[in-house]
Amino acid sequence: MGEVTNLINSSNSVVILTHEKPDGDAIGSSLALYLALRDMGKDVDVVIPEWAKIFSYLNGLDEVITDSLREYDLAITVDCASLNRIGQVSDVFGSARKSLVIDHHISNEGYGSVNYIRECSSCSQMVFDILRTLGVTIEREIGNAIITGIITDTNGFKNSDVDDVTFDVASFLYKSGAEISRVYTELMQTKSMARFELFKMVVNRLEFLCDGKIAFSYVSKEDVSNVGAVFGDHEGLVDIGKG
């Protein structure tokens, strides 16, 4: 952790990147880190070419840029196991003087100057640990970003990698002003009309194979077009057949 915080403290200009088609953990950890580094007085950008409108409640999302031609002291990737998953903005990462990789996937290739990789329920929880070590004051907006990542990557605290530390972090965020109930509702209970139509299709087409051990369903590209779905409307469909 010391190497991570030293690298951040010694860098003035910072860019934050994540994987293509980012999920809630990618968005949450990116924005939490962005808001924190901005509060620390860093010259910081977060570059995400495309994101789902379901995350529009998060502070700082309107300040995200889709590309950059700048050269930074430090490039940070979050929740991204390999360099090629950054996609079209990988040149931004490569042109930085130094790089930091923060990820909870043990399959991570360790492609940064410094790599902070460990098993954890979410990358956002790792960012929480970093911000606490940096001495950042975590209030509502940063808390909302972190809890967004935790809720989405734990499937609403239901996954097996959730432990007492995850709940301790959630408790800290709640006491710090994070709107956990609101975030949970936005992520887990709110559906656009297009998302609901796709949900119905998946349920209606659900088939069980191998004595119920495999659940199979699908939506087609035509289905997506017909209901007017946009990026993010597919979230959660893959979980419908889980027992």
Side-chain angles (χ1 to χ4, degrees), residues 122-185:
S122 67
C123 189
S124 294
Q125 186 174 321
M126 294 177 65
V127 169
F128 171 85
D129 292 338
I130 293 170
L131 299 188
R132 291 279 286 161
T133 304
L134 286 168
V136 172
T137 299
I138 298 176
E139 297 181 341
R140 183 182 66 183
E141 301 304 342
I142 294 176
N144 282 351
I146 294 172
I147 202 65
T148 291
I150 291 174
I151 288 174
T152 51
D153 243 34
T154 63
N155 195 22
F157 299 98
K158 292 188 291 187
N159 292 353
S160 59
D161 56 2
V162 173
D163 56 19
D164 59 326
V165 178
T166 308
F167 286 109
D168 286 344
V169 172
S171 176
F172 180 96
L173 296 174
Y174 175 77
K175 292 174 183 176
S176 300
E179 301 166 297
I180 295 180
S181 177
R182 176 195 173 199
V183 172
Y184 190 93
T185 298

Side-chain angles (χ1 to χ4, degrees), residues 218-227:
Y218 70 94
V219 290
S220 68
K221 185 176 181 180
E222 184 179 8
D223 293 330
V224 171
S225 177
N226 287 341
V227 302

Side-chain angles (χ1 to χ4, degrees), residues 51-72:
W51 58 89
K53 62 183 180 180
I54 190 174
F55 304 116
S56 60
Y57 62 88
L58 287 172
N59 183 268
L61 196 58
D62 58 341
E63 298 167 32
V64 170
I65 58 177
T66 58
D67 204 351
S68 176
L69 298 176
R70 295 180 58 191
E71 291 187 3
Y72 299 88

